[in-house]
Amino acid sequence: MEELVSIGLPFYNNETTLELAIKSVFAQTYTNWELILVDDGSIDRSTEIANRITDKRVKLITDNTNKGLIYRLNQIALLAHGKYLARMDADDLMQPTRIEKQVRFLLNNPDVDLVDTGAYSISEKGFPKGKRGLNKINTDESYVLKHAMLLHASVVGKTTWFIKNRYDADYTRAEDYELWCRTFKTSSFGRVREPLYIVREGKINVGNYLKSSQTIRKIVKKYGPDSLSFYDLNKTLFILRTKETLYRLFSLANMHDLLVNSRNNTLSEGEQNEVLKIINDIKSTKIV
């Protein structure tokens, strides 16, 4: 029998993207799932959209309060009934084979706690922009401390792992990065090296980026001394501050797209068409 997978989807004012994100769940080739929709106090039509769904596999949690992503992620882990828990953001999409392939990976590698995937990147309006995260996962100690080791929204893992390893509210906007740094020595991570997740990227909010970077510096200062030399630690912190300055300058010049595109590898015309076909197929999926 297929293992039950809980798909956790927190949302806050996502009325323009939530329905398509949910459709990508219904389009999955793996059908033994429950979808946990958690409203974080939305004041738009998001909750109305979620309320229309009658499928018994879908559970809507709403308390009319904005408690933040970290609280909701920890809440979802406690609500999940599945052996595995899948992350997803409300403005993104999943390829139809995402859950199937990640669950197969976990079943074939029972010692692995979490597995992520590569991703396609699309614009706010759904135009394909690039791909990333297709390289072999790097769990070297110094690399983990300097980079985002996993694509957070694409991870699927053992529900018991998420319950044991809670997100820390002291690290807002970099809670995933802190979680990887805290757990990688005692956990096993894997990757399906295919773009099974589709992340929607618009213009970068420089204010949010700076908040994230400040939290990342806080994390490096906490975990870095045990893993990095004095020189390497300070070099890493200097690079982070330099990036903050560059983001400020690019923002003033209204060159946000260059910053977004720098994360990705270029798509061929054939790959762009493939992404558009996947999105169109998801759009045609019916939600019960």
Side-chain angles (χ1 to χ4, degrees):
M1 182 178 177
E2 290 184 330
E3 299 288 356
L4 176 65
V5 177
S6 299
I7 301 171
L9 204 167
F11 64 90
Y12 175 69
N13 292 346
N14 293 109
E15 65 179 7
T16 61
T17 60
L18 181 60
E19 183 175 4
L20 194 57
I22 294 172
K23 282 189 173 186
S24 76
V25 175
F26 276 76
Q28 291 298 297
T29 55
Y30 194 96
T31 58
N32 191 23
W33 49 258
E34 64 169 357
L35 174 59
I36 304 173
L37 296 171
V38 179
D39 172 35
D40 192 35
S42 298
I43 56 175
D44 66 355
R45 295 177 53 253
S46 298
T47 309
E48 177 187 334
I49 291 168
N51 250 325
R52 295 176 191 160
I53 305 171
T54 59
D55 192 303
K56 292 182 179 180
R57 294 174 296 176
V58 179
K59 301 171 180 63
L60 173 61
I61 309 299
T62 181
D63 55 20
N64 301 310
T65 307
N66 181 241
K67 296 183 177 179
L69 179 62
I70 293 175
Y71 179 91
R72 299 305 181 185
L73 293 178
N74 289 328
Q75 179 185 21
I76 286 170
L78 295 175
L79 293 170
H81 293 99
K83 179 177 180 179
Y84 301 119
L85 175 58
R87 276 277 291 116
M88 186 181 185
D89 286 336
D91 50 356
D92 297 338
L93 304 169
M94 301 190 289
Q95 284 226 48
T97 58
R98 177 207 168 182
I99 299 298
E100 177 187 347
K101 290 184 176 181
Q102 286 181 279
V103 169
R104 183 186 306 144
F105 184 98
L106 289 167
L107 290 174
N108 290 337
N109 300 274
D111 292 335
V112 172
D113 297 297
L114 288 183
V115 57
D116 77 343
T117 78
Y120 285 125
S121 168
I122 61 174
S123 68
E124 286 180 296
K125 295 184 178 180
F127 183 78
K129 301 186 69 173
K131 60 183 177 181
R132 65 175 182 266
L134 303 179
N135 51 305
K136 185 178 179 181
I137 192 169
N138 189 339
T139 57
D140 177 76
E141 188 168 359
S142 63
Y143 182 89
V144 174
L145 287 166
K146 296 177 185 179
H147 301 85
M149 177 176 57
L150 304 172
L151 176 58
H152 185 209
S154 79
V155 298
V156 176
K158 298 171 182 175
T159 301
T160 52
W161 187 92
F162 284 101
I163 293 173
K164 180 181 178 181
N165 300 285
R166 295 170 61 86
Y167 294 91
D168 192 329
D170 287 338
Y171 299 95
T172 302
R173 300 204 60 80
E175 63 280 345
D176 55 326
Y177 177 51
E178 190 278 332
L179 183 59
W180 315 147
C181 289
R182 177 169 22 111
T183 62
F184 81 96
K185 291 182 179 180
T186 57
S187 303
S188 178
F189 302 136
R191 170 169 295 160
V192 178
R193 295 169 62 186
E194 299 179 45
L196 300 178
Y197 196 79
I198 302 175
V199 59
R200 193 185 302 269
E201 297 179 309
K203 285 188 175 182
I204 290 178
N205 183 314
V206 175
N208 286 342
Y209 172 81
L210 294 176
K211 290 177 184 177
S212 299
S213 184
Q214 290 165 7
T215 302
I216 290 171
R217 283 195 276 118
K218 178 180 175 181
I219 295 166
V220 171
K221 288 177 182 178
K222 178 177 181 178
Y223 295 103
D226 292 335
S227 306
L228 304 175
S229 67
F230 178 82
Y231 171 79
D232 207 12
L233 173 61
N234 284 281
K235 178 182 177 182
T236 301
L237 293 171
F238 174 77
I239 290 172
L240 287 168
R241 292 191 184 95
T242 302
K243 286 183 177 180
E244 290 173 17
T245 301
L246 289 174
Y247 270 67
R248 288 190 180 97
L249 294 173
F250 274 76
S251 175
L252 291 173
N254 197 29
M255 299 170 67
H256 301 75
D257 284 348
L258 291 178
L259 296 172
V260 174
N261 292 337
S262 66
R263 306 172 181 175
N264 299 316
N265 296 316
T266 304
L267 296 177
S268 67
E269 183 178 351
E271 288 173 317
Q272 289 181 0
N273 291 333
E274 175 63 21
V275 177
L276 290 173
K277 182 180 183 304
I278 292 168
I279 294 173
N280 287 329
D281 287 344
I282 292 172
K283 287 179 177 179
S284 66
T285 300
K286 292 183 179 180
I287 298 177
V288 181

